[in-house]
Structure formats: C-alpha cells, structure tokens
Amino acid sequence: SAEDSMVVIVLGASGDLAFKKTYPALFGLYKNSFLPPNTDIVGYARSHIELDEFRKRISSRIKVNNEKEQQQLKEFLAKCTYVSGSYDDAKSFKKLNDAVDDIQKRVGGYRHRVFYMALPPSVFIPASKGLREHVYTRKGNNRLIVEKPFGKDTESSKELGHALAQHWLEDEIYRIDHYLGKEMVKNLMILRFANVFFGAVWNRQYIHNVQITFKEPIGTQGRGGYFDEFGIIRDIMQNHLLQILSIVAMEKPVTLDAEDVRNEKVKVLRAIQPLTVDDVLLGQYTGSPDGKEPGYLEDKGVPKDSVTPTFAAAVFYIKSERWDGVPFILKCGKALDQQKTEIRVQFQDVAGNIYPNIARNELVVRVQPEEAVYMKFMNKKPGLSSAAVTSELDLSYAKRYQDVKIPDAYESLILDVLKGDKANFVRDDELDAAWKIFTPLLHQIEREKIKPEQYAFGSRGPAGLNAFVEKHGYRRDAGYQWTPPKI
Ligand code: BG6
C-alpha cells in the first residue's frame, strides 16, 4: 500500500562497487520512477565520512543530462544517508538498525528491507550474521543481495553457502551475476521461445557450434593483487559466460516463474562434463609492443612467476538429446584488441550444396557494445552477377530503437529484487553445478603450475587461438566483417 516503506541498505558503501554501480543504478531507478514511494537508502561502511562528503562522492559518479535530472539528483541525495560501523560487532549493527527504524517509523505499512552486500569476501559471513541478528525486520520482507566471488571452487563455495544458510533462507538470497541483467542476455529467452523460426532450428541437427566471447581492452590496472587469486576463468567464464551458455542451451521452462527457469538452467549445467586441460587454451598478457601498456606480471601485487591466466578459451559439450556433439566454445580475455561480448551461433553446412564458396549461416547476438541481433546469410550478389555473397539481416538497436536508453545491468537487477523476481539471480544448486565443471581443471592448473601462452597487450589473444576454435569446428568466413550501421 502507499503506506509501505522500503529501505535499501548498502554495505560497503564507501567502496568502489557501491559508487560505480550500486548508487548510480539506484539513481537511474529513481529518475525513471521505478523506486517505490517511501524508499530510502542507507549506506554503511567502516570509514567515518560526513554525510555531505558522502553525498558529494555519490554524485561525483552520476551523470546528469539536464536541469530536470539535476533536480532529481538533489531529491535522490536527500534520500541517501550514511552510518559508519564495523562488520563484526553487534553494537554497530544495532546502531544501523536504529537508523533504519527511525526512517521507517514515518509511515505505518509494511517495512521492507533490502541488504546490498558490496563487500569483500573476508567480512561477508560476519556481516550477513550481524544483519540477520540485528537489522532484520519482522514487519516486512528482507532480501539479501550478494556479489561474487562465491568461493573459489566447489568446496569453498559450499562452505560459504553453508555459512550463509545458517542465517538466511535461500528464498531471501539474491546472488548477482550482472550479466543476467544485460539487455541482450535478457532478450535470449524471447528470441528462442517466442519465435517459431529460431525455435525450430535450435538443436544439433541445424547448429554446428556456438561461441560465446568476452573481450576487454584493459588489463588488471592495479587490481592485479585481487585478480591473481582468481584468474579469468573464475572472474568471467565460470559465472558470466556459463550463465549465458545455460540460457542459450536450456529447454523451454514450464512458465516464466523463477524456479521453473532456474530448474532448466541447472539441468544444462549438470549435463556438462568437467573440463580437462585438453579442453582449454590459456593465455597471459605481456606489455604492449609500443611499451606503453604494462604486462600482467608488472602489475603491482602480481607475483613475478604467476601463471594465472588472463585469457582462456574452453570447449564444452552438453550430453543431452538436443546438444550431443555440438561444441560450445567460451572465450574471455583482458588486455585484448577491443571491447566486445557476443554470442555466435554457427549453423551446419547446407546439405547437398550446389553453390561454390558459400559460408555457414550465423546468428549473432551482440551483447555489448552496440547491441544488435544479426543473421549472416547467403544472398545473390545484386546486379548481373549470380554469385552468392554473405549479407546480413541486421537489427541494430541504435538504429531501430533510437529513443530507448538501455539501462545498466545493475538497474535492471535491483528492480528485480524490489519486485521479488529471482529469475535473473543464481540459485545455490546452479552455483554448485557451475563450480563442478571447473574445479578439477582449476586445481590442476594450480597444482602443476601450467604455463599460459603469452600474448601482447592489445592483440587478439594467444597465437594458438584461431587453431583452437577451428579444431573445435568453427569455420571462419574470411572476407566478411559486420560493421554497426552509422546513425
Ligand atoms: C566483472 C569482472 O565481473 O565484470 C571484471 O570482475 C570485468 O574483471 C567486468 O571487467 C566486466 O563487466 P562489464 O559489464 O563491463 O562487461
């Protein structure tokens, strides 16, 4: 009812994630009238910061485009307050609870609370316990948003899960994988299940292979100390890319209900065999040829003999009636030639082909940047020639949806939390199934110190990459390049 209130409590409010993502996303929701009435935001962290200073820091990361937004930002900042305290001390949490109670006393209805844990793993468990014991409300619902890392392997993830489960119900926990909030990832189910012509060919009979690629043009940029403990497989592949894979490959859920959707996703993951070293290509970047960009081993915090991969390609097979024998090639890397995330579905060769030089059809879902869905297909070369040439049916968002601003993934996910929709969050059994695929390989890499192939900062990746994807069945169409349309 109009009397209900909601407080979003941001833990780790003075950290990077909160300023870069959480607060801007909350402002985006406020700006577009998606925050329910009587919503307030309380930041919590260890450092003592004056409220004015805190608000200044929030607004320094938020872009406003006009006077109206400037006014909205003022209103938004008025909703943001700050409490400092530690993560393992009852008194601090009681103080936080008093502050939240004070805010929620103003109106009479249900008093909902969302706890956003933008916290390092070391304080994760004590904080979740402190919140449950001292800041939990009986007068409304409680939702706990948690961020990766969810452990480092099957065992540590289980431990973390058990510790969390001592205080919180699975039903209250929202595990964020921000790729699930991206517009194009959310589009996948509609493409597959609301279109006869995609649905009909979505199987091993028509699809030859699937590639899911993540590229980033930046290195670890001083985060090397953190990154070195995890590596690219844990940072990107085990979560973001595997989530995309499971949606590309899942069966149609019975309904759009979160548990129906997640039941289907987890089935895909359980049908994948654990990876072995023969299934992967690992890389680590060196400095750029012009000497301007440092190599990974030069990042402070990275041990000089580190074998942590900053690039990985791996092939997965799903033992199911739909996908048996179809390679799913996942690739991800830092310090590459460009920023790009895409899903590339390559179809089978034309049976009984009568034309020379034809390329395989491909459906490409361009996740970012320049969101697009395009289909590469053969077309008669226009004019007097009768050659078949590759062309494309191109749905580029910048052209087709000119007035739409695509929201940041965090906006979309926080909105889901406010609505209580868990379909785009990771369930505990999903997490466990994902770790099982990677754990033996990760342990072997670490035990045997398997050396990654070097690649230069700004290159396409290790020299062996083309051979790797071709070995697993991808056929390159040498002459063709898609360029996003100019507006
Ligand atoms: C994060 C990784 O999960 O995703 C980062 O920890 C990476 O290393 C980032 O840079 C990429 O996200 P996006 O939304 O910029 O593609």
Side-chain angles (χ1 to χ4, degrees):
S1 80
E3 294 282 275
D4 294 352
S5 63
M6 161 97 70
V7 173
V8 180
I9 297 139
V10 181
L11 292 107
S14 64
D16 230 30
L17 179 70
F19 284 124
K20 268 200 213 147
K21 296 289 183 187
T22 318
Y23 280 99
L26 287 164
F27 175 65
L29 291 173
Y30 176 72
K31 192 173 81 176
N32 295 302
S33 310
F34 282 113
L35 284 190
N38 307 319
T39 298
D40 289 88
I41 301 150
V42 178
Y44 183 84
R46 277 184 288 225
S47 8
H48 293 273
I49 315 172
E50 291 302 319
L51 184 54
D52 268 359
E53 175 58 25
F54 182 68
R55 287 178 173 160
K56 254 187 225 142
R57 270 161 73 178
I58 296 174
S59 51
S60 73
R61 299 306 297 253
I62 293 176
K63 224 177 85 213
V64 289
N65 300 308
N66 50 48
E67 238 162 75
K68 181 175 166 218
E69 287 188 10
Q70 187 66 49
Q71 178 57 30
Q72 287 175 316
L73 179 59
K74 242 175 91 184
E75 293 158 17
F76 174 76
L77 290 174
K79 294 170 161 297
C80 296
T81 51
Y82 181 79
V83 175
S84 72
S86 78
Y87 295 116
D88 53 6
D89 157 41
K91 239 174 59 202
S92 299
F93 281 115
K94 283 182 187 152
K95 184 172 86 172
L96 173 61
N97 187 55
D98 289 344
V100 178
D101 270 345
D102 261 358
I103 294 171
Q104 292 195 301
K105 268 200 311 241
R106 286 182 222 143
V107 281
Y110 285 108
R111 299 175 182 182
H112 306 303
R113 293 183 182 179
V114 170
F115 302 95
Y116 193 118
M117 303 245 281
L119 291 176
S122 54
V123 294
F124 194 84
I125 294 302
S128 66
K129 175 171 181 275
L131 290 174
R132 179 63 183 81
E133 286 174 353
H134 304 292
V135 204
Y136 195 85
T137 180
R138 305 267 167 208
K139 297 180 182 147
N141 51 45
N142 296 272
R143 294 176 180 150
L144 183 75
I145 305 180
V146 295
E147 285 269 356
K148 73 159 205 250
F150 307 124
K152 297 184 65 177
D153 54 16
T154 303
E155 211 190 335
S156 54
S157 164
K158 272 214 172 98
E159 264 170 39
L160 195 65
H162 286 152
L164 202 57
Q166 296 202 330
H167 311 291
W168 292 84
L169 300 173
E170 176 63 19
D171 199 44
E172 297 168 324
I173 302 170
Y174 290 72
R175 286 179 202 84
I176 282 205
D177 181 312
H178 79 285
Y179 267 62
L180 293 177
K182 294 202 185 252
E183 182 70 23
M184 282 315 210
V185 177
K186 289 172 71 185
N187 190 24
L188 285 171
M189 280 181 56
I190 298 208
L191 287 179
R192 290 193 52 203
F193 301 128
N195 290 300
V196 172
F197 62 80
F198 288 136
V201 296
W202 214 259
N203 58 53
R204 62 195 294 274
Q205 193 183 343
Y206 295 103
I207 292 179
H208 189 284
N209 62 79
V210 177
Q211 274 190 82
I212 304 173
T213 307
F214 167 97
K215 290 186 178 204
E216 211 170 41
I218 53 172
T220 45
Q221 296 186 318
R223 272 174 79 220
Y226 158 84
F227 185 88
D228 200 67
E229 261 191 67
F230 293 90
I232 198 78
I233 295 178
R234 294 182 176 99
D235 194 44
I236 304 287
M237 191 184 277
Q238 181 267 354
N239 41 39
H240 304 327
L241 298 192
L242 197 66
Q243 281 294 331
I244 295 177
L245 179 151
S246 66
I247 303 171
V248 169
M250 72 197 254
E251 298 301 315
K252 187 193 284 188
V254 181
T255 71
L256 292 175
D257 180 81
E259 299 323 318
D260 285 337
V261 172
R262 300 192 295 180
N263 286 344
E264 295 305 333
K265 285 171 67 188
V266 79
K267 268 196 233 162
V268 173
L269 300 180
R270 290 179 53 206
I272 298 174
Q273 294 297 305
L275 290 175
T276 70
V277 273
D278 300 329
D279 303 322
V280 296
L281 171 70
L282 304 174
Q284 188 186 71
Y285 68 88
T286 57
S288 61
D290 63 8
K292 285 188 183 148
E293 299 288 351
Y296 176 66
L297 297 180
E298 295 159 63
D299 195 333
K300 65 171 176 359
V302 175
K304 291 295 163 247
D305 59 349
S306 168
V307 293
T308 300
T310 59
F311 176 99
V315 60
F316 301 75
Y317 289 94
I318 304 166
K319 273 259 174 239
S320 70
E321 193 172 8
R322 185 184 291 275
W323 295 117
D324 204 1
V326 178
F328 283 74
I329 305 163
L330 273 44
K331 304 179 295 184
C332 49
K334 289 194 173 277
L336 295 176
D337 56 335
Q338 57 171 322
Q339 192 209 359
K340 180 169 93 173
T341 300
E342 68 171 30
I343 303 153
R344 185 173 293 265
V345 177
Q346 185 171 66
F347 290 87
Q348 298 280 6
D349 290 319
V350 170
N353 172 40
I354 53 174
Y355 292 101
N357 305 322
I358 66 170
R360 288 179 181 161
N361 291 153
E362 285 180 13
L363 171 70
V364 181
V365 178
R366 170 105 171 183
V367 176
Q368 66 183 33
E370 284 144 344
E371 290 84 348
V373 183
Y374 63 93
M375 180 88 207
K376 284 171 56 179
F377 72 109
M378 300 313 296
N379 195 37
K380 191 185 92 59
K381 186 172 184 188
L384 293 177
S385 161
S386 50
V389 291
T390 305
S391 193
E392 69 281 313
L393 291 165
D394 182 358
L395 171 62
S396 276
Y397 275 38
K399 186 152 180 257
R400 179 65 175 78
Y401 300 116
Q402 296 199 9
D403 299 330
V404 181
K405 194 198 151 286
I406 293 177
D408 186 74
Y410 279 91
E411 259 175 71
S412 148
L413 291 176
I414 294 174
L415 183 59
D416 283 347
V417 176
L418 299 180
K419 293 191 205 150
D421 181 356
K422 304 191 76 181
N424 290 314
F425 293 83
V426 183
R427 201 166 66 186
D428 52 357
D429 55 342
E430 236 182 304
L431 186 62
D432 185 53
W435 276 124
K436 280 192 176 133
I437 299 170
F438 289 93
T439 295
L441 171 73
L442 289 165
H443 286 177
Q444 191 179 350
I445 292 174
E446 281 148 16
R447 200 173 50 237
E448 294 172 16
K449 291 199 174 306
I450 296 174
K451 268 214 153 41
E453 241 186 81
Q454 296 189 330
Y455 62 97
F457 195 113
S459 67
R460 290 189 59 246
L465 178 59
N466 282 357
F468 179 87
V469 295
E470 275 154 32
K471 182 175 102 191
H472 295 295
Y474 178 70
R475 185 157 340 125
R476 199 170 298 281
D477 180 0
Y480 177 87
Q481 176 107 44
W482 175 78
T483 26
K486 289 210 173 58
I487 307 304

